[in-house]
């Protein structure tokens, strides 16, 4: 019991308190994306947090599209957002909402405020409003239109709604306090005129509510109890509470802020990603080097690994930036026991076993994952001609090099000991073929104990292997220089963030593997089949992550 209390984050503690005090009887949370771009890892944190709380408290989770701004939204994003939220496992069941469905209610709320003398139509221009607002150190000045009568305000607001008013000529403002130390409370604009079609309501409206007015109403309409958002909205909370109170919603939703998730040396800003896409530096919003949810999925990350990552980051109010290596740690942990371990040679060189009969083949029984017998076994062909990694052979090895070199013996993983007997080169001195002999006594699993070798290398059988393309990724950002160029604000890009290897050979056990299936390639990392570019006869793999890292779990 004690332990459980200690491990609760500050939002859970607040919820416990609200439930204990009877402020709410059940919990309802929401994820409210604006459909104006793809979701990224930061949004994943918000989704999993909101969904997780609803689940933990046996409450309800809503997915609500915050589509109140007709200028910026694009329906293309609604589908991609739904797909991403679903993929993360946040099930909204039948609680899918669109804020634009509440326009009528928002309008009614505005009328209510006018009638209460809590809102007025203001004719100041946007610039004048800004000038009248004052600064952090100086109070604002009252608008000359602040004391219009209720009747006049109702009349003018009606005219705004009926399209008798040009864009920008008039706005509806909340009548709060121009001297408030919180600038958000200095008579904020709550409705503006915009003669624009809306994807959902068409031309029904030419006035649209502002975010700070619309959002609390959306929450209240859906009976959200805990409206969780990021820290930049902390100063807006008094306004949020004002709107809920003055519009007389009961029960009132409660806003709680937490700090955004940032990753060190990673680009998340929509504006920057858009430019990378437009400039052709990345292959769309789902390029595996990005951290949009679609990109992480394509790269081979799993929902479980993202959940583990978000849990490890925790929830707090202090701003911090997390190392990408922690995300890599999570995917390694998640895949370690779940995925088969295959052999793939990324930079091949031929190994000929001269004493193995030509044309013969034997099938070796191999564990799919030595640490997890549940994954079963597979049969791997072994024959006279193999491929091994170029770096596993050296003509003149340095000290402590235990792999193949003339005269040395190594173990071929799952197979036999082989001894290097020589090699061939082309006219430039590059090694083209390595020759070896094998010792039939040393077959893996035969219990052979006669002698030991220090090196084990992986291989694939040349005639049976499948050729594949492998894409190796590094950070898109030049980590030495940091994300932004100090001079012009552009991104410091790493020219080597994508390396394409076209002549790789993988075991032919992939035949039935579908899109996004992932594997460990022994000694080389975790890889997945690219969902966009791979075809059964032209396999393309993405490296999700290499096997090793310098990342240490935070204590
Ligand atoms: P961005 O500009 O980074 O794409 P946004 O805030 O404009 O993000 P919204 O669609 O408004 O995107 O956000 C939906 C929800 O996701 C909001 O509740 C917001 O607070 C939350 N969110 C956005 N970015 C992060 C982040 N980095 N970490 C945690 N939550 C985030
Ligand atoms: Mg936003």
């Amino acid at each position: 019991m004690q332990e459980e209390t200690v491990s609760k984050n500050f939002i859970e503690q607040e919820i416990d308190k609200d439930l204990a005090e009877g402020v709410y009887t059940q919990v309802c949370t929401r994820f409210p994306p604006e459909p104006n771009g793809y979701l990224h890892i930061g949004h994943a944190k918000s989704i999993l947090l909101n969904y997780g709380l609803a689940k933990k408290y046996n409450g309800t989770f809503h997915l609500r599209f915050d589509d109140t701004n007709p200028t910026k939204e694009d329906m293309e994003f609604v589908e991609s957002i739904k797909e991403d939220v679903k993929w993360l496992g946040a099930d909204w069941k039948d609680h899918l909402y669109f804020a634009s469905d509440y326009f009528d209610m928002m309008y009614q709320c505005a009328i209510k405020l006018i009638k209460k003398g809590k809102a007025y139509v203001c004719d100041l221009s946007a610039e004048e409003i800004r000038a009248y607002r004052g600064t952090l150190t100086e109070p604002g000045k009252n608008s000359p239109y602040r004391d219009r009568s209720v009747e006049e305000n109702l009349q003018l607001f009606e005219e705004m709604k009926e399209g008798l008013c040009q864009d920008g000529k008039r706005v509806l403002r909340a009548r709060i306090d121009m001297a408030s130390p919180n600038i958000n409370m200095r008579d904020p604009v709550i409705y503006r005129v915009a003669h624009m079609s809306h994807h959902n309501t068409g031309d029904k409206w030419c006035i649209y509510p502002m975010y700070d007015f619309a959002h609390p109403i959306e929450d209240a309409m859906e009976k959200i109890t805990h409206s969780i958002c990021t820290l930049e909205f902390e100063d807006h909370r008094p306004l949020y509470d004002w709107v809920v109170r003055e519009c007389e919603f009961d029960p009132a939703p409660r806003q709680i802020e937490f700090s955004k998730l940032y990753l060190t040396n990673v680009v998340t800003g929509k504006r920057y990603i858009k430019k990378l896409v437009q400039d052709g530096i990345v292959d769309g919003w789902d390029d595996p080097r990005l951290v949009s949810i679609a990109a992480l999925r394509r790269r081979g990350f799993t929902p479980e690994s993202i959940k583990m990552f978000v849990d490890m980051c925790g929830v707090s109010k202090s701003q911090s930036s997390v190392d990408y290596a922690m995300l890599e740690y999570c995917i390694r942990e998640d895949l370690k026991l779940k995925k088969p371990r295959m052999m793939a040679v990324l930079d091949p060189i031929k190994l000929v076993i001269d004493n193995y009969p030509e044309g013969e083949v034997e099938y070796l029984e191999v564990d799919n994952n030595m640490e997890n017998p549940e994954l079963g076994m597979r049969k791997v062909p072994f024959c006279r001609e193999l491929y091994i990694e170029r770096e596993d052979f050296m003509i003149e090895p340095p000290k402590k090099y235990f792999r193949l070199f003339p005269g040395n013996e190594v173990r071929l993983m799952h197979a036999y000991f082989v001894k290097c007997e020589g090699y061939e080169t082309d006219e430039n001195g590059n090694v083209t073929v390595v020759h070896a002999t094998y010792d039939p006594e040393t077959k893996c699993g035969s219990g052979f104990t006669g002698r030991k070798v220090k090196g084990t290398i992986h291989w694939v059988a040349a005639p049976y292997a499948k050729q594949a393309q492998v894409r190796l990724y590094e950070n898109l950002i030049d980590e030495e220089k940091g994300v932004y160029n100090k001079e012009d604000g552009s991104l410091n890009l790493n020219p080597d963030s994508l390396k394409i290897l076209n002549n790789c050979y993988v075991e032919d056990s992939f035949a039935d593997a579908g899109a996004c299936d992932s594997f460990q390639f022994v000694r080389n990392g975790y890889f997945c089949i690219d969902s966009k570019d791979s075809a059964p006869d032209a396999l393309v793999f993405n490296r999700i992550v290499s096997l090793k890292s310098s990342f240490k779990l935070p204590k």
Side-chain angles (χ1 to χ4, degrees):
M1 198 61 203
Q2 188 68 29
E3 227 165 335
E4 200 179 306
T5 326
V6 172
S7 68
K8 282 191 172 173
N9 67 45
F10 81 96
I11 296 179
E12 291 164 344
Q13 291 172 16
E14 291 300 318
I15 294 178
D16 283 347
K17 206 166 119 231
D18 286 341
L19 293 174
E21 290 172 0
V23 182
Y24 307 108
T25 50
Q26 31 67 51
V27 169
C28 185
T29 60
R30 86 287 174 265
F31 175 65
E34 241 182 296
N36 66 353
Y38 285 91
L39 299 182
H40 55 63
I41 183 82
H43 296 113
K45 174 164 185 174
S46 178
I47 294 164
L48 293 169
L49 174 62
N50 280 293
Y51 176 71
L53 289 170
K55 214 172 146 187
K56 187 162 191 168
Y57 288 92
N58 250 321
T60 320
F61 167 74
H62 294 189
L63 173 60
R64 179 205 311 144
F65 286 97
D66 204 337
D67 60 348
T68 53
N69 182 354
T71 55
K72 287 199 308 192
E73 284 135 19
D74 189 334
M75 289 312 284
E76 172 200 344
F77 296 117
V78 167
E79 288 313 313
S80 83
I81 289 173
K82 280 202 239 169
E83 190 183 342
D84 291 347
V85 175
K86 203 174 280 171
W87 180 73
L88 283 172
D91 183 1
W92 60 84
K93 302 195 174 116
D94 48 359
H95 295 287
L96 174 65
Y97 303 100
F98 288 84
S100 55
D101 286 336
Y102 309 142
F103 279 159
D104 282 298
M105 185 61 183
M106 290 170 190
Y107 174 73
Q108 292 307 328
C109 286
I111 297 284
K112 177 179 255 181
L113 292 183
I114 294 173
K115 287 185 175 163
K116 290 170 78 172
K118 298 283 183 181
Y120 62 97
V121 172
C122 184
D123 299 0
L124 292 180
S125 67
E127 235 161 88
E128 288 166 325
I129 289 180
R130 213 170 302 129
Y132 273 66
R133 188 171 292 144
T135 64
L136 284 173
T137 50
E138 287 164 61
K141 266 194 321 191
N142 283 355
S143 159
Y145 305 99
R146 197 172 198 263
D147 294 317
R148 277 175 162 156
S149 68
V150 168
E151 289 67 38
E152 190 183 2
N153 279 321
L154 286 173
Q155 170 70 29
L156 293 174
F157 189 50
E158 176 74 10
E159 286 176 22
M160 284 166 63
K161 175 177 168 264
E162 291 308 316
L164 303 174
C165 187
Q166 280 178 348
D167 290 11
K169 282 280 182 258
R170 278 187 170 135
V171 291
L172 185 71
R173 297 176 70 177
R175 195 168 185 276
I176 311 178
D177 178 7
M178 289 306 291
S180 170
N182 183 337
I183 292 185
N184 294 305
M185 299 298 271
R186 295 182 189 169
D187 292 9
V189 173
I190 58 176
Y191 255 99
R192 68 193 165 114
V193 177
H195 286 86
M196 295 194 75
S197 285
H198 185 279
H199 71 87
N200 181 18
T201 55
D203 293 323
K204 177 172 176 195
W205 299 95
C206 61
I207 52 170
Y208 290 97
M210 304 302 287
Y211 180 87
D212 279 339
F213 177 64
H215 204 85
I217 295 176
E218 294 158 25
D219 284 342
M221 293 276 295
E222 292 175 18
K223 298 208 177 341
I224 299 297
T225 55
H226 297 86
S227 175
I228 293 156
C229 64
T230 41
L231 273 187
E232 70 273 22
F233 290 101
E234 197 164 27
D235 292 342
H236 297 240
R237 191 186 338 133
L239 178 54
Y240 182 100
D241 291 341
W242 184 92
V243 171
V244 171
R245 192 170 61 243
E246 294 299 344
C247 296
E248 298 168 25
F249 283 105
D250 185 35
R254 170 175 177 200
Q255 176 177 308
I256 301 178
E257 310 86 14
F258 72 102
S259 71
K260 274 196 173 180
L261 169 64
Y262 290 103
L263 286 172
T264 313
N265 285 330
V266 170
V267 201
T268 49
K270 278 173 205 162
R271 200 159 48 94
Y272 286 99
I273 292 177
K274 201 171 203 169
K275 185 149 190 325
L276 290 172
V277 175
Q278 277 165 356
D279 294 353
I281 291 167
V282 296
D283 160 35
W285 284 86
D286 61 353
D287 184 289
R289 288 164 292 177
L290 297 173
V291 290
S292 64
I293 296 177
L296 290 168
R297 179 166 58 231
R298 184 169 165 202
R299 175 84 172 253
F301 281 84
T302 57
E304 292 81 4
S305 65
I306 292 173
K307 176 151 195 326
M308 191 193 304
F309 173 70
V310 163
D311 287 344
M312 274 171 76
C313 291
V315 183
S316 83
K317 269 193 178 281
S318 56
Q319 210 72 259
S320 67
S321 180
V322 180
D323 202 340
Y324 185 83
M326 192 159 117
L327 188 55
E328 296 188 319
Y329 168 85
C330 293
I331 187 65
R332 268 189 215 105
E333 280 299 300
D334 186 46
L335 299 182
K336 196 163 70 182
L337 299 181
K338 281 188 193 167
K339 298 296 176 181
R341 298 176 183 179
M342 313 271 213
M343 295 194 283
V345 174
L346 305 189
D347 183 13
I349 180 173
K350 197 164 260 185
L351 176 72
V352 179
I353 301 171
D354 292 308
N355 62 339
Y356 199 88
E358 229 163 309
E360 199 163 295
V361 56
E362 64 184 299
Y363 286 87
L364 309 169
E365 283 270 343
V366 168
D367 276 310
N368 281 328
N369 185 326
M370 251 115 66
E371 291 181 61
N372 181 7
E374 279 177 28
L375 293 189
M377 316 270 288
R378 69 181 185 285
K379 287 196 164 67
V380 176
F382 181 84
C383 60
R384 181 183 159 95
E385 294 202 355
L386 313 175
Y387 289 115
I388 60 169
E389 298 284 356
R390 184 167 290 277
E391 62 169 32
D392 284 338
F393 171 77
M394 285 187 101
I395 301 170
E396 288 172 32
K399 266 196 179 142
K400 299 212 170 149
Y401 184 89
F402 300 120
R403 291 168 273 168
L404 271 184
F405 54 86
N408 193 40
E409 189 173 48
V410 298
R411 181 198 304 276
L412 290 177
M413 193 176 282
H414 307 304
Y416 299 93
F417 288 9
V418 290
K419 184 172 176 194
C420 178
E421 309 284 0
Y423 58 92
E424 295 171 32
T425 57
D426 63 15
E427 61 273 23
N428 301 316
N430 297 315
V431 178
T432 50
V433 180
V434 177
H435 288 273
T437 49
Y438 87 118
D439 177 355
E441 301 289 303
T442 59
K443 187 169 181 174
C444 184
S446 68
F448 174 79
T449 52
R451 62 184 183 279
K452 286 206 166 93
V453 288
K454 280 195 169 151
T456 300
I457 65 175
H458 64 275
W459 52 274
V460 292
Y464 301 92
K466 270 198 146 180
Q467 200 175 10
Q469 183 187 96
V470 170
R471 298 173 181 175
L472 304 179
Y473 301 102
E474 279 181 23
N475 196 345
L476 200 53
I477 296 298
D478 183 335
E479 295 183 15
E480 303 270 288
K481 293 186 184 150
V483 182
Y484 305 105
N485 185 320
K486 286 198 182 70
E487 261 128 57
D488 59 3
S490 64
L491 296 173
N492 289 321
L493 295 173
N494 168 9
D496 301 319
S497 61
L498 169 63
K499 198 162 150 194
I500 298 181
L501 306 175
N502 277 310
N503 188 35
C504 307
Y505 287 92
V506 301
E507 275 182 44
D508 191 18
S509 322
F510 302 100
D512 309 318
C516 253
D517 272 1
S518 51
F519 316 89
Q520 185 188 118
F521 288 168
V522 291
R523 299 172 70 216
N524 277 319
Y526 290 98
F527 292 76
C528 87
I529 292 186
D530 187 75
S531 56
K532 221 171 176 175
D533 299 334
S534 190
D537 53 352
L539 292 170
V540 177
F541 290 92
N542 296 315
R543 177 150 76 187
I544 310 167
V545 65
S546 59
L547 290 178
K548 288 199 191 76
S549 112
S550 52
F551 175 74
K552 294 254 171 7
L553 261 187
K555 292 230 169 73

